[in-house]
Amino acid sequence: MESGCKIHNLYLTVLKEELIPALGCTEPIAIALASAKAREVLGEFPDKMIAACSGNIIKNVKGVIVPTTGDMRGIETSAILGAVGGNAEKQLEVLADVKPAHIEKTKALLATGLCEVEIIHGSANLDVIITAIKGDHSAVVEIKNKHSNIIRIEKDGKVLYSKDGQAAGHQTQELDRTQMNIEEIYDFANTVEISDVKQLLDMQIEYNTKIAEEGLKNDYGANVGSTLLKCYGTDIKTLAKAYPAAGSDARMSGCILPVVINSGSGNQGMTVSLPVIQYARFLGVSQEKLYRALVISNLVAIHQKTGIGSLSAYCGAVSAACGSGVGIAYLYGAGMDIIGKTITNTLANVSGIICDGAKPSCAAKIASSVDAALLGYHMAINNQVFHSGEGIVKDSVEETIKSVGRLGKEGMRETDVEILKIMVEQTPGSPVCV
């Protein structure tokens, strides 16, 4: 019983940690959060800022619109706007209180060169260090590994807080997510008390559906979602692809509506949820069935991303769509055999999709990934599955997931570097050296 309680608490805690609201793409938001906190610690507005970021942060900020700005992009915009109008207490909704006057002030400060950008070499893929300077005083805030995970706060060279507890006077204990597995996730989805997850999932359903509908109704990015419906009709398979794509259309192009994220990503949060929500409506299942399908979808995606890491050259839409494929299979009453085959078939198909930053084409990658997950499920129910030894597929679904984790984290490391080089080359005179 004790072991079962520990397993239950692990998965429930993971869901509570991961399914949180965020306003806009989480990489510029992480910069804005660190910047808002640095300004708060400094106690006055800085006359100089330094934004040091890991390569993957730079990659994911370059092409996406900073929310609330209309059409502004970039690390400098994110950092200055965070200092001007950010509210650090709101975490990943740090820019929720930004007003037009804040935008105008940010534009003026950008023109003065207030913020310098540096690249952090040899660190975690997700690392942001904001230094705010005013005269002889300075404040430093570092976010690492997760988008709202502040690990260090300094003022005038003195450590005020460090995540290891040395300055804060306590130790923090991280969950061991490597213990997660598909069979336990399936059991948890079947047995969890709905009251324990209802609030989280209601928010995911409401927020993510609302931004998808906004993306379908108005002109955002390349309009992948609305194009799917216009050209392919409104059958359930197309709706399952169009809704998350439309949410991404809106989110990548600066829509100010929040989303509930998964694995640190709004795009992944929409991809794990919206196809499942559409299929639940189509099948007319109970609300409880939808909740349990969302539980398994979210956790399968998180399980896969645990081995890959928050940011890499591996497109997170693949793991998220794989999760939604499992959620859809669950709605149809699938057991472990079909679920395992759905995962294997999906990963064998589209694990080669690269992440070249946050931008409008993310919506198309989401649509392609969901399409692959649907194919993977239909293959599975027809007793068709890719076999061990065929490429990266292994003897069990867990071993195949580990293979993909190795591919995304280790195998694509040099790919990640080359992607960033290619992206920086597209901007002559960029101050970032890679």
Side-chain angles (χ1 to χ4, degrees), residues 104-401:
E104 292 307 311
K105 183 175 181 179
T106 297
K107 289 178 179 178
L109 290 171
L110 279 167
T112 69
L114 174 77
C115 182
E116 298 178 5
V117 177
E118 297 177 355
I119 187 168
I120 303 172
H121 292 283
S123 182
N125 284 349
L126 197 168
D127 199 358
V128 175
I129 304 172
I130 298 293
T131 303
I133 303 167
K134 179 71 172 181
D136 295 331
H137 300 287
S138 66
V140 178
V141 174
E142 181 172 10
I143 289 176
K144 197 170 186 177
N145 294 323
K146 290 184 176 295
H147 294 81
S148 58
N149 182 39
I150 294 177
I151 67 160
R152 177 168 59 103
I153 300 173
E154 297 179 7
K155 184 173 184 181
D156 295 335
K158 180 182 178 181
V159 175
L160 303 182
Y161 170 80
S162 67
K163 193 63 181 279
D164 63 13
Q166 291 177 0
H170 68 276
Q171 288 294 120
T172 57
Q173 186 173 0
E174 298 291 336
L175 287 171
D176 184 6
R177 298 188 181 190
T178 62
Q179 300 302 308
M180 296 173 69
N181 63 77
I182 299 300
E183 188 169 354
E184 287 181 356
I185 290 171
Y186 176 70
D187 289 341
F188 176 79
N190 282 327
T191 59
V192 63
E193 291 288 340
I194 295 301
S195 59
D196 288 340
V197 296
K198 184 179 185 300
Q199 184 176 1
L200 288 175
L201 298 178
D202 280 343
M203 184 167 57
Q204 187 176 54
I205 293 166
E206 178 189 352
Y207 284 18
N208 295 2
T209 299
K210 189 175 291 185
I211 196 170
E213 290 172 346
E214 171 68 16
L216 288 172
K217 184 169 60 177
N218 293 306
D219 182 15
Y220 289 100
N223 293 301
V224 174
S226 57
T227 299
L228 282 166
L229 297 183
K230 178 181 178 181
C231 297
Y232 296 97
T234 57
D235 67 283
I236 184 56
K237 295 183 184 68
T238 306
L239 288 171
K241 293 180 283 187
Y243 265 73
S248 180
D249 285 329
R251 184 169 169 272
M252 294 293 93
S253 297
C255 178
I256 61 172
L257 291 174
V259 302
V260 171
I261 66 177
N262 179 292
S263 303
S265 164
N267 281 346
Q268 291 170 56
M270 291 184 291
T271 305
V272 296
S273 59
L274 290 167
V276 180
I277 294 165
Q278 288 301 308
Y279 263 89
R281 291 175 177 174
F282 170 74
L283 294 172
V285 301
S286 67
Q287 192 71 8
E288 178 179 340
K289 188 75 170 180
L290 170 58
Y291 288 143
R292 296 192 185 280
L294 287 172
V295 166
I296 198 169
S297 176
N298 278 288
L299 287 172
V300 165
I302 293 165
H303 176 36
Q304 292 178 68
K305 282 305 294 289
T306 297
I308 297 168
S310 297
L311 299 176
S312 73
Y314 183 94
C315 179
V318 175
S319 51
C322 194
S324 65
V326 169
I328 291 165
Y330 186 91
L331 290 174
Y332 276 103
M336 273 298 300
D337 179 61
I338 296 299
I339 285 171
K341 288 176 179 176
T342 299
I343 294 171
T344 298
N345 288 339
T346 307
L347 295 180
N349 183 357
V350 288
S351 287
I353 298 179
I354 63 164
C355 173
D356 53 344
K359 70 283 179 222
S361 67
C362 291
K365 295 183 182 186
I366 288 170
S368 296
S369 299
V370 173
D371 186 70
L374 293 173
L375 172 62
Y377 166 65
H378 287 289
M379 288 177 62
I381 61 176
N382 284 282
N383 200 31
Q384 300 297 322
V385 65
F386 298 112
H387 297 288
S388 176
E390 297 175 355
I392 61 173
V393 176
K394 296 293 185 181
D395 289 335
S396 70
V397 65
E398 293 298 339
E399 289 300 316
T400 299
I401 290 171

